[in-house]
Amino acid sequence: MAGVTDAPTLSSGTPEEVIAKRSRFVVMAGWGDVPHITPEMIAEERSRIPPHEFEARSLGKPSLGAGAVYPVPESEFVCDPFVIPDWMPQVYALDVGWKRTAALWGAIDRDNDVVYLYGEHYRGQAEPAIHAQAIKARGVWIPGVIDPAARGRGQKDGEQLLQVYLEHGLNLVLANNALEAGIVQVWQRLSTGRLKVFRTLVNWIKEYRFYQRDDNGKIKDGQADHLMDDTRYLIMSGLAVASIRPAHMWTTGKSDRATVETEYRPYAYPASR
């Protein structure tokens, strides 16, 4: 056929090129084929990376695959609510938009490196003043991190929106919104028991169940992911700015930490069913 040339073969070219072609070959080897990689090392690596990357890394298959972004059973991280101890640092993340603005609150047990997501604000079609009022009602002293892109409008617009919320009395800084890096950090915490979610966060749980990748491994467009984004912001940036309730506001006294710790028994509650 005109315009079509034969594809090169192993026997085409100069003798030197033929020898070079025939001396090259590819061997597919996975972690299980390498003697010095122990099952313990594989298990540790598996807990460190997202499941959609495990097959690609362990077997060399260049595929991300579709499905849940965080395929961790809810029973492993959903817990009954408890009163947040005064000594736990707290922070919130804010994802803004006209159709939906979402805020997510978290408390940190630094002794055990466990983050508890305990509160959410989920409302659409309201002015910043309305959202700011609802956020301050949970504690003006709690610092927050905000989406720097302001739901896709761009970094500059995100900075302008940050200024609007600052003028309404919120204590906010711009968050790191790196998508895949944030997903990895959230996944690591979920898979190792270091991220817990109160069962009362019905909107968070609903988004979690539908947060998926397409056949190309990309996060699906058009799905509700405001609180999923907030989770990334909180884990990536919020932990560094979280603050403890001011001493004069402690509900158990300014220095009675022992009493608080005695009452703090989150794992005394039954696991999610």
Side-chain angles (χ1 to χ4, degrees), residues 179-253:
L179 178 60
E180 291 297 338
I183 286 175
V184 168
Q185 289 199 23
V186 173
W187 156 251
Q188 289 175 352
R189 285 189 168 274
L190 284 171
S191 62
T192 56
R194 294 180 296 121
L195 179 60
K196 302 292 183 179
V197 181
F198 282 13
R199 67 175 69 258
T200 50
L201 272 60
V202 294
N203 293 299
W204 190 99
I205 293 173
K206 183 185 299 184
E207 285 195 8
Y208 179 85
R209 291 171 178 171
F210 291 96
Y211 195 43
Q212 298 181 332
R213 295 181 183 273
D214 61 22
D215 292 335
N216 296 316
K218 304 295 184 181
I219 302 298
K220 287 185 177 181
D221 292 329
Q223 59 186 345
D225 57 5
H226 310 279
L227 290 168
M228 294 298 98
D229 288 345
D230 276 341
T231 305
R232 290 189 291 107
Y233 306 151
L234 193 149
I235 297 301
M236 289 281 282
S237 305
L239 305 188
V241 301
S243 178
I244 296 175
R245 184 189 302 271
H248 70 277
M249 298 175 62
W250 277 39
T251 58
T252 56

Side-chain angles (χ1 to χ4, degrees), residues 251-269:
T251 58
T252 56
K254 296 183 179 181
S255 60
D256 193 9
R257 172 167 174 166
T259 302
V260 179
E261 291 180 327
T262 301
E263 297 174 351
Y264 168 57
R265 296 179 292 113
Y267 293 109
Y269 295 96

